[in-house]
Structures are given as structure tokens and as C-alpha cells.
């Protein structure tokens, strides 16, 4: 059911991208800071490893409309699981082995807003054009060249630096999760492994800062927060110690944030045809406008 929902979301996003004004690809690298806590028999929570920093890589596809709003789909690495191993459930808080879990693939999707560019410093512009020579109606030189083509255009390109703020909100999903509790018996000794922070869905939110110069998008710095939601309910382990049955209840919580840097790539769908004006000399010192269709992106 979840796979079908993700497939439907992908088709909807692709259809939206085909009709959007701009869609871009954003590869990013950085690190993630996550923290996983374990609650043991409702005696209070503790963190077996504490705060951990892990490298992270991600790829996000953004869809943006004229209003600067749109959806995003992405994939990133995740390492929030902590493998918590112990032999005696009654003393697990003081006698355990905790290790970081393996890297997992996390899918992300949500909504993003793009603000208008905010100028950084003073703008610089360059103008180029052809200047029309002044001539009087009695000038033979002017009248003798009235059949020549002339263009009169001036263009100013903004060379200033700018930043665009990009807040976003969405959900994360890990399609393949580990077993929550694994029991192993070797040489008559039973070992219990509890995978804490083994969530499959999470709430994500963050803000990106896209820097550019003129019409060029240069790089993006983003800070994002996540909090695990699904598959974090209480797990029960039943064991026998000293001839009596011992019930151990374990529950975990996981959250964290990441900092990433990337370079955006604008993807162009198809060119549109628009009419651009051309200026032709129709008389001495007089011009008329001629429209021609030219392809533009």
C-alpha cells in the first residue's frame, strides 16, 4: 500500500514538473547529527551513544512554479539506528554494547517555497547598444543610407550577488527497516539485540539558502531537522532469569538535524516561441518595428 502511494506521488510530481515553469536537480553533501534515546521499563530515558555525526549525501528534485512554490522529491542517506545489545535484561542499563547501525536509504517528499532574491551589496550593471547618429532632413549622407538596416537595443545585466530563502516541510520514509528485536543463543548464552531508533516514517522540515550572482545560481546551503514517528512503539522482551520470568519493555525516540552544501542544476523542459522586436530604418532618422518569431528558453 505504501509503495503504491509513493508511486502515485511520483507520477503526480512528474506531471506537475512537466507543466511547471522550472524544475531543478540539487545534489548535496554534508553531515547529519542524530540522537537516539531508549526508555527502559518507564524508568526514564538514556542515550547509549549520545550525539553522533555521520557523513551524508543526498539528491533532490525540485519543482517550482511562477509563484515560487512547488513540490520536491529526494533520496538521502540515514544512520539513526543504534544496535543495543545485552545479555541480562535486569541489568541492561549498566551492562550493554551499543554500536551505530548501517547506512540506510531515506526517501523524502514535501512542499517548498522560494522567496524572491534578496540583493547582497550594490548592483552592478553593464549596458551595450548602438547609438543612432543624428542627422538633419537636408543631409545627403543620411538620406543616402536610409535603406541600410539598423538595430537599436540596450540591455542591462544585473551582476549583483543575491540570496534566496527556501523553507520546506515534508515527510521522510525508509522503505526497508531492520527487525526491532533479535535474539541469539551461542554456547548457552542468550544475547538480545534491540535496534533503537528504527523508524520508518519521520517528519522533516528545514530551510535552504540559495546564493547566486546575476542570473546564475551558484550554490545552496541547507539546514534540516527530522524526528522519527513510525515504528517506534514499545517492544517487549520476555526472558527467564533465576527461574523466574522477566518482562522488559523498551521504547526509543530518534531525532536530529543535518547541514548540507550543494550546487543546483536547472533543467529546461522545452523552448517557447515568442516575438521579439527588430528595428529597421524606414526613413531618414525614423525607425519602424518588425516582429519575428524566435525560439527562447
Amino acid at each position: 500500500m505504501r509503495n503504491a502511494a509513493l508511486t502515485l506521488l511520483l507520477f503526480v510530481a512528474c506531471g506537475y514538473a512537466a507543466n511547471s515553469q522550472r524544475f531543478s536537480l540539487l545534489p548535496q553533501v554534508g553531515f547529519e547529527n542524530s540522537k537516539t534515546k531508549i526508555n527502559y521499563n518507564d524508568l526514564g530515558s538514556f542515550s547509549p551513544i549520545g550525539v553522533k555525526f555521520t557523513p551524508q549525501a543526498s539528491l533532490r528534485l525540485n519543482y517550482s512554479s511562477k509563484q515560487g512554490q512547488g513540490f520536491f522529491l529526494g533520496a538521502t542517506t540515514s544512520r539513526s539506528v543504534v544496535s543495543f545489545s545485552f545479555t541480562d535484561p535486569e541489568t541492561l542499563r549498566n551492562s550493554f554494547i551499543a554500536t551505530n547501525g548501517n547506512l540506510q536509504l531515506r526517501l523524502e517528499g514535501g512542499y517548498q517555497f522560494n522567496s524572491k532574491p534578496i540583493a547582497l551589496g550594490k548592483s552592478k550593471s553593464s549596458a551595450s547598444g548602438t547609438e543612432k547618429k543624428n542627422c538633419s532632413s537636408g543631409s545627403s549622407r543620411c538620406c543616402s543610407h536610409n535603406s541600410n538596416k539598423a538595430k537599436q537595443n540596450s540591455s542591462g545585466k544585473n551582476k549583483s550577488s543575491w540570496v534566496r530563502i527556501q523553507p520546506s516541510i515534508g515527510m521522510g520514509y525508509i522503505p526497508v527497516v531492520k527487525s526491532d528485536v533479535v535474539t541469539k543463543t551461542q554456547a548457552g548464552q542468550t544475547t538480545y539485540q534491540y535496534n533503537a531508533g528504527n523508524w520508518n516514517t519521520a517528519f522533516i522540515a528545514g530551510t535552504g539558502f540559495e546564493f547566486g550572482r546575476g542570473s546564475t545560481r551558484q550554490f545552496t546551503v541547507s539546514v534540516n531537522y527530522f524526528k522519527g514517528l513510525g515504528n517506534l512503539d514499545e517492544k517487549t522482551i520476555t526472558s527467564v532469569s533465576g527461574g523466574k520470568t522477566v518482562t522488559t519493555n523498551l521504547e526509543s525516540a530518534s531525532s536530529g538535524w543535518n547541514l548540507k552544501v550543494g550546487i543546483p542544476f536547472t533543467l529546461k523542459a522545452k523552448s517557447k516561441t515568442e516575438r521579439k522586436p527588430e528595428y529597421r530604418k524606414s526613413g531618414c532618422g525614423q525607425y519602424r518595428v518588425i516582429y519575428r518569431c524566435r525560439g527562447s528558453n
Side-chain angles (χ1 to χ4, degrees), residues 218-236:
Q218 295 178 325
F219 66 95
T220 299
V221 179
S222 64
V223 180
N224 302 279
Y225 167 81
F226 76 90
K227 180 175 179 57
L229 299 177
N231 197 44
L232 292 177
D233 51 326
E234 188 176 78
K235 305 297 186 297
T236 300

Side-chain angles (χ1 to χ4, degrees), residues 5-83:
L6 287 174
T7 304
L8 178 61
L9 178 61
L10 179 62
F11 276 109
V12 171
C14 290
Y16 180 82
N19 297 310
S20 64
Q21 297 299 318
R22 185 183 65 185
F23 50 106
S24 60
L25 199 63
L26 179 62
Q28 290 181 300
V29 293
F31 66 88
E32 185 167 89
N33 176 1
S34 61
K35 187 173 183 178
T36 299
K37 295 182 178 181
I38 297 176
N39 190 338
Y40 162 60
N41 284 346
D42 296 326
L43 298 176
S45 61
F46 66 99
S47 182
I49 290 183
V51 178
K52 57 180 179 179
F53 292 85
T54 56
Q56 188 178 54
S58 66
L59 183 64
R60 176 180 286 193
L61 187 62
N62 298 302
Y63 308 92
S64 179
S65 64
K66 287 183 178 180
Q67 290 74 25
Q69 306 176 20
F71 296 92
F72 69 86
L73 288 175
T76 183
T77 57
S78 177
R79 201 173 187 178
S80 58
V81 176
V82 174
S83 297

Side-chain angles (χ1 to χ4, degrees), residues 40-295:
Y40 162 60
N41 284 346
D42 296 326
L43 298 176
S45 61
F46 66 99
S47 182
I49 290 183
V51 178
K52 57 180 179 179
F53 292 85
T54 56
Q56 188 178 54
S58 66
L59 183 64
R60 176 180 286 193
L61 187 62
N62 298 302
Y63 308 92
S64 179
S65 64
K66 287 183 178 180
Q67 290 74 25
Q69 306 176 20
F71 296 92
F72 69 86
L73 288 175
T76 183
T77 57
S78 177
R79 201 173 187 178
S80 58
V81 176
V82 174
S83 297
F84 184 78
S85 301
F86 56 93
T87 56
D88 188 358
E90 292 185 314
T91 61
L92 64 84
R93 187 157 185 171
N94 300 318
S95 179
F96 63 85
I97 298 176
T99 58
N100 291 326
N102 297 327
L103 284 176
Q104 296 175 291
L105 176 66
R106 182 170 79 214
L107 305 179
E108 297 179 343
Y111 183 81
Q112 177 174 293
F113 176 80
N114 300 308
S115 72
K116 293 182 179 180
I118 303 172
L120 301 176
K122 296 181 179 180
S123 61
K124 298 179 181 180
S125 61
S126 62
S128 63
T130 58
E131 182 180 355
K132 184 183 66 174
K133 295 183 179 181
N134 295 325
C135 61
S136 61
S137 59
S139 173
S140 59
R141 181 179 180 181
C142 174
C143 294
S144 62
H145 291 83
N146 59 7
S147 61
N148 295 334
K149 294 181 179 180
K151 290 184 180 181
Q152 184 183 24
N153 56 24
S154 61
S155 61
K157 294 184 179 180
N158 193 350
K159 299 296 183 180
S160 65
S161 299
W162 50 265
V163 60
R164 181 183 284 117
I165 303 175
Q166 302 172 318
S168 62
I169 186 172
M171 296 292 293
Y173 173 68
I174 296 180
V176 180
V177 296
K178 298 181 177 181
S179 299
D180 297 305
V181 178
V182 178
T183 303
K184 299 179 181 179
T185 302
Q186 187 175 6
Q189 179 68 52
T190 301
T191 301
Y192 303 93
Q193 177 181 314
Y194 172 60
N195 290 316
N198 192 30
W199 56 266
N200 57 0
T201 58
F203 167 79
I204 59 175
T207 301
F209 300 90
E210 184 181 73
F211 295 87
R213 184 177 178 86
S215 60
T216 303
R217 305 163 64 200
Q218 295 178 325
F219 66 95
T220 299
V221 179
S222 64
V223 180
N224 302 279
Y225 167 81
F226 76 90
K227 180 175 179 57
L229 299 177
N231 197 44
L232 292 177
D233 51 326
E234 188 176 78
K235 305 297 186 297
T236 300
I237 298 176
T238 302
S239 60
V240 178
S241 177
K244 63 178 181 179
T245 302
V246 178
T247 300
T248 304
N249 297 317
L250 295 172
E251 190 175 4
S252 64
S254 181
S255 61
W257 58 273
N258 58 62
L259 176 65
K260 295 180 288 187
V261 180
I263 300 177
F265 296 92
T266 301
L267 306 178
K268 299 180 180 180
K270 59 181 180 180
S271 62
K272 295 181 180 180
T273 303
E274 64 179 10
R275 303 179 68 189
K276 289 190 175 181
E278 287 188 1
Y279 295 88
R280 282 191 180 182
K281 206 172 193 181
S282 60
C284 183
Q286 298 181 355
Y287 292 85
R288 60 188 178 91
V289 181
I290 296 178
Y291 286 91
R292 289 186 179 179
C293 293
R294 295 183 180 179

